[in-house]
Amino acid sequence: MSITVKDVQHVARLARLQLSPEEEATFTEQMNAILRYAEKLNELDTDNVKPTTHVLQVSNVMRDDVVKDSLSQEEALLNAPEDEDGHFKVPAVLE
């Protein structure tokens, strides 16, 4: 598999990029170099390597949801600098 200048032009058009002919040639060469390097991975013997989805073992560190009592509206507003009609009152940020 290789990338052609036409492929680079197509991707550039999708990304709404205007590339000079020199940039198209440079990117074509660079992308092909990347593909050649990635193809080297096919030379590896992976017969005894178990398939993985992560390099590191990942475990869920989130706790289970537990329903518990929360603050009442009055308690939540207790330290508010200002409140109005049961809501936090903050300075306007839009005019």
Side-chain angles (χ1 to χ4, degrees):
M1 177 180 189
S2 66
I3 302 291
T4 65
V5 172
K6 193 172 182 175
D7 295 326
V8 171
Q9 290 170 339
H10 178 70
V11 172
R13 186 173 51 81
L14 292 175
R16 299 177 191 262
L17 296 174
Q18 290 186 337
L19 302 178
S20 68
E22 294 81 21
E23 289 172 322
E24 292 172 357
T26 298
F27 293 141
T28 302
E29 182 180 322
Q30 289 176 347
M31 289 180 167
N32 280 319
I34 292 169
L35 287 177
R36 282 192 301 275
Y37 187 76
E39 286 175 358
K40 284 189 169 216
L41 295 175
N42 290 332
E43 298 172 9
L44 296 174
D45 179 13
T46 58
D47 289 341
N48 296 323
V49 178
K50 292 180 3 183
T52 60
T53 56
H54 294 279
V55 175
L56 303 173
Q57 185 171 353
V58 178
S59 61
N60 187 358
V61 295
M62 306 296 279
R63 63 170 171 71
D64 291 331
D65 286 338
V66 177
V67 178
K68 59 183 182 180
D69 294 333
S70 60
L71 296 175
S72 68
Q73 187 177 36
E74 291 79 23
E75 291 170 324
L77 293 171
L78 203 57
N79 290 328
E82 279 188 79
D83 66 284
E84 183 176 300
D85 299 330
H87 301 283
F88 289 95
K89 185 174 182 181
V90 296
V93 294
L94 300 174
E95 293 182 21

